[in-house]
Amino acid sequence: MKKYIVLLLFLLSGCSSPQLGTIQVNNINAYVELAVTPEQREQGLMYRQQLEKDQGLLMVFEKPQQVSLWMLNTLIPLDVGYFNKQGELLATTQMLPDGGKQLYHSPPETFYVLEMNRDWFNRYGLKPGAQLTLPESFKRH
């Protein structure tokens, strides 16, 4: 009963839970949370204690642009992949928790940013040119 009351309060508050789904990079599955609003992208993976092996966050932007990221309140080391609007991997970088001291900049034509556990891209041999594939439900954004 208690969980139904919490769910009802959540629904009545107008909050929406993040959209979750499976994406692929060169046929490698990743289970991600979708971040499409400025607030969702700003929150990112802050305060998370861990991510499962193939779990992450996919940020989607309104237009291709250079994106700047930092590790403020982010507790786990991350791999970040920058993709253009066509889903081509442009570059990757590794980010370590540092309290937000360092800024990381993407290539200027970045449309998608995929944040995963550190070494995710290396573990699967994903290099620039790898292809991002999204489920239809993600393409509406």
Side-chain angles (χ1 to χ4, degrees), residues 41 59 61 65-71 82 95 102-107 110 113 115:
R41 291 189 301 260
M59 298 181 198
F61 293 86
Q65 60 189 288
Q66 183 176 51
V67 175
S68 297
L69 304 172
W70 62 355
M71 293 290 283
Y82 305 105
M95 301 191 316
Q102 183 175 348
L103 279 179
Y104 300 85
H105 305 287
S106 76
T110 298
V113 173
E115 294 184 342

Side-chain angles (χ1 to χ4, degrees), residues 109-129:
E109 60 273 12
T110 298
F111 189 75
Y112 301 102
V113 173
L114 178 59
E115 294 184 342
M116 301 295 288
N117 277 313
R118 186 169 184 192
D119 291 326
W120 189 82
F121 289 90
N122 287 336
R123 181 178 336 117
Y124 293 113
L126 300 170
K127 309 264 185 233

Side-chain angles (χ1 to χ4, degrees), residues 7-9 12-13 15 21 29 33 36 44 54 57 59 68 70 72 74 77 84 86 99 107 109 117 129 132:
L7 177 61
L8 179 61
L9 289 173
L12 291 174
S13 71
C15 295
N29 288 335
E33 180 178 319
V36 296
D54 294 317
L57 177 79
M59 298 181 198
S68 297
W70 62 355
L72 182 67
T74 305
N84 65 17
Q86 293 73 38
E109 60 273 12
N117 277 313
L132 174 67

Side-chain angles (χ1 to χ4, degrees), residues 50-65:
Q50 68 178 29
L51 288 173
E52 296 302 319
K53 179 181 174 196
D54 294 317
Q55 180 184 4
L57 177 79
L58 180 68
M59 298 181 198
V60 182
F61 293 86
E62 293 80 22
K63 62 181 182 184
Q65 60 189 288

